[in-house]
Amino acid sequence: MADDMGYGDLSCYGSSFINTPHLDKMAAEGIKFTDFHANGPVCSPTRAALLTGKYQQRVGIDGVVTAKHHRDKGLAISEKTFADAIKKAGYVTGMFGKWHVGYKKEFNPINQGFDEYIGYVSGNVDYHSHIDQEGYEDWWVGDTIKNEKGYSTDLITKHSVDFIKRHKDEPFLLYIPHEAPHGPFQGRQSPAERYVGWKNGAKQKNKVSDEELNAIYKEMVEVMDEGIGEVMKTLKELKIDKNTLVFFCSDNGASQKVGSNGGLRGYKSTLWEGGHRVSAMAWYPGTIQPNQVNNETILTMDLFPTIMDIVGSEIPDDLDGISLKDNLFKGVPLPERDVFWGYAGRKAMRQGDWKLILRNKDAEPLLFNLREDLGENNNIASQHPELVKTMLKKLEDWSNDVYATSKN
Ligand SMILES: [Ca+2]
């Protein structure tokens, strides 16, 4: 999983600026998704949905778990994650990278089904010093702070490759939530910016121009791509590539500041397509056919049931996501379904090609037909009053349902 990487930030999604040969190869050898969506337009909600297979509102993580205000908040340990479920099915589980669904030790990944964990629990750390936004050390081995030297993207790759080598002879699940290309914007050679006690908003030592910022961003995506290439190479060298499914996606769109959402409207934190439509691909040589472009509407929460289906385990019956297995392996179309987003008072839903957006509770609903208007430029709500009414009712029912069961 990439962090804050936009729909247009990979070469295979049209970037002429950033070179991502390894992800391009993954797409060419497998499935490239065009209508894959993050469950949330920001980090924590999408991750909560990925982990639980449910709408994040249901599990109380509908906003960002920030370093500053929510040190007590986290994904409840009573929630069953995909790691819990697959571990029960006999898989060893590892996670290296960003957690962001709880700071306290009790919320640590090792208490949510992961046998091994190295990484950071906040939204972002300095790529070199691994200090979080509030000036705290944030690099963990399991539930113990243990900093190590290195560029975080490279460390995440190193530990991931090491995990695969150690567990090649047994069934394993590896979750690699990269930091890249989320800020702070730092390349391999950039100096560390944060130190213990550093305060967010402290004067940046190195003020960079837009041109330099774009160059650093490009490097951040390319180093991540290189790391993903290392993981793929390891699978091939160990001859387990034909027995391994690799799925890639981003957790939300690019921010307003940097990155490309490929011409989609909006950016991270908005419910325009640029906030949540992201790049995604699936790779499983011999099982998933190469060179496929998949236009199904898919959300992050679908991965949990898909994983369980693929390993032949029971799918918990209280999930909101659906299994993609037959679609990925055999091209069987997904059943028709409505999908929903909610964040910071904004709401949106999809019914086929139709998308309805409520920018706040008092705003007039906006209606777009994404097949004809992917850029969401042409609000046609006034032309379809009955459809708007139906979709508004569905959105309200959904909202009542997910918040009624919410843990927070
Ligand atoms: Ca993010």
Side-chain angles (χ1 to χ4, degrees):
M1 177 175 268
D3 196 352
D4 286 11
M5 194 183 74
Y7 194 66
D9 276 332
L10 299 176
S11 334
C12 57
Y13 278 82
S15 178
S16 53
F17 172 64
I18 301 175
N19 299 310
T20 51
H22 301 100
L23 284 164
D24 297 350
K25 190 161 186 277
M26 192 192 290
E29 292 177 355
I31 301 173
K32 177 181 128 173
F33 298 91
T34 64
D35 198 12
F36 182 94
H37 297 263
N39 259 76
V42 291
C43 311
S44 307
T46 297
R47 288 151 203 271
L50 170 70
L51 286 159
T52 62
K54 299 176 188 173
Y55 281 111
Q56 61 273 15
Q57 289 83 1
R58 258 191 229 293
V59 300
I61 310 286
D62 62 348
V64 176
V65 181
T66 66
K68 195 167 190 172
H69 302 296
H70 295 292
R71 289 209 170 261
D72 293 336
K73 190 174 170 157
L75 180 65
I77 293 304
S78 55
E79 289 295 339
K80 290 276 167 283
T81 68
F82 66 76
D84 287 317
I86 201 167
K87 190 174 150 84
K88 219 171 158 185
Y91 282 64
V92 60
T93 53
M95 169 182 167
F96 305 102
K98 164 166 163 170
W99 181 235
H100 209 188
V101 286
Y103 285 81
K104 280 184 161 180
K105 284 189 182 189
E106 65 185 80
F107 298 127
N108 189 273
I110 61 166
N111 298 319
Q112 286 285 25
F114 291 97
D115 294 315
E116 299 183 24
Y117 170 60
I118 300 174
Y120 57 104
V121 302
S122 71
N124 66 82
V125 290
D126 184 297
Y127 280 73
H128 295 282
S129 66
H130 312 133
I131 304 294
D132 77 10
Q133 304 97 303
E134 294 299 314
Y136 294 96
E137 280 203 308
D138 189 13
W139 197 262
W140 304 72
V141 175
D143 63 359
T144 307
I145 294 264
K146 198 175 176 189
N147 209 347
E148 62 181 318
K149 271 201 163 49
Y151 185 62
S152 58
T153 308
D154 290 328
L155 292 175
I156 289 166
T157 296
K158 182 183 94 173
H159 293 304
S160 298
V161 167
D162 176 62
F163 176 89
I164 295 169
K165 286 182 176 168
R166 284 186 288 111
H167 297 293
K168 66 180 169 55
D169 296 324
E170 58 190 321
F172 67 79
L173 175 138
L174 172 57
Y175 173 33
I176 314 175
H178 269 289
E179 177 164 27
H182 195 297
F185 301 103
Q186 296 170 299
R188 274 179 175 144
Q189 306 308 322
S190 302
E193 291 278 347
R194 302 177 186 170
Y195 44 87
V196 174
W198 179 87
K199 284 278 174 279
N200 199 2
K203 203 170 177 304
Q204 293 272 313
K205 270 188 235 155
N206 300 282
K207 207 76 178 130
V208 296
S209 66
D210 284 352
E211 198 183 348
E212 287 168 306
L213 179 64
N214 285 327
I216 290 171
Y217 186 84
K218 171 181 159 75
E219 181 192 342
M220 290 168 79
V221 175
E222 290 179 353
V223 171
M224 178 186 70
D225 180 72
E226 183 188 315
I228 290 166
E230 282 296 308
V231 166
M232 308 303 275
K233 193 178 89 182
T234 305
L235 295 174
K236 283 177 190 162
E237 281 174 0
L238 297 174
K239 298 188 168 51
I240 53 174
D241 52 316
K242 289 193 169 56
N243 197 26
T244 307
L245 167 72
V246 181
F247 200 97
F248 172 86
C249 61
S250 182
D251 75 330
N252 53 252
S255 72
Q256 193 172 9
K257 195 174 175 184
V258 67
S260 165
N261 288 317
L264 301 174
R265 187 169 180 177
Y267 37 83
K268 176 182 181 178
S269 85
T270 72
L271 293 186
W272 302 111
E273 291 293 296
H276 52 79
R277 187 183 290 238
V278 291
S279 51
M281 48 197 82
W283 180 92
Y284 191 168
T287 303
I288 287 178
Q289 299 307 307
N291 284 310
Q292 296 188 69
V293 175
N294 183 311
N295 303 318
E296 295 280 1
T297 307
I298 296 170
L299 263 65
T300 325
M301 65 185 182
D302 297 326
L303 295 177
F304 181 161
T306 303
I307 291 166
M308 299 320 292
D309 203 6
I310 288 173
V311 305
S313 275
E314 203 178 325
I315 300 170
D317 57 13
D318 61 346
L319 305 189
D320 293 306
I322 59 171
S323 172
L324 309 173
K325 183 186 168 192
D326 289 345
N327 179 254
L328 303 185
F329 293 2
K330 299 179 202 155
V332 179
L334 293 181
E336 271 186 35
R337 60 171 172 164
D338 303 319
V339 292
F340 304 87
W341 291 267
Y343 174 67
R346 295 164 211 139
K347 286 175 193 163
M349 77 155 294
R350 274 282 295 280
Q351 179 185 310
D353 293 327
W354 297 101
K355 182 176 177 189
L356 183 102
I357 303 181
L358 270 181
R359 285 166 299 173
N360 60 61
K361 67 179 172 49
D362 304 317
E364 285 296 314
L366 306 175
L367 181 72
F368 302 95
N369 186 308
L370 297 184
R371 182 174 293 270
E372 290 156 11
D373 178 25
L374 189 57
E376 297 169 292
N377 294 309
N378 191 17
N379 171 25
I380 47 177
S382 62
Q383 295 166 37
H384 302 274
E386 284 306 313
L387 180 60
V388 167
K389 214 169 130 186
T390 305
M391 291 176 80
L392 273 177
K393 175 73 168 68
K394 284 179 175 179
L395 196 49
E396 191 189 338
D397 290 348
W398 169 80
S399 182
N400 289 339
D401 175 39
V402 292
Y403 283 106
T405 55
S406 177
K407 299 282 161 56
N408 288 37

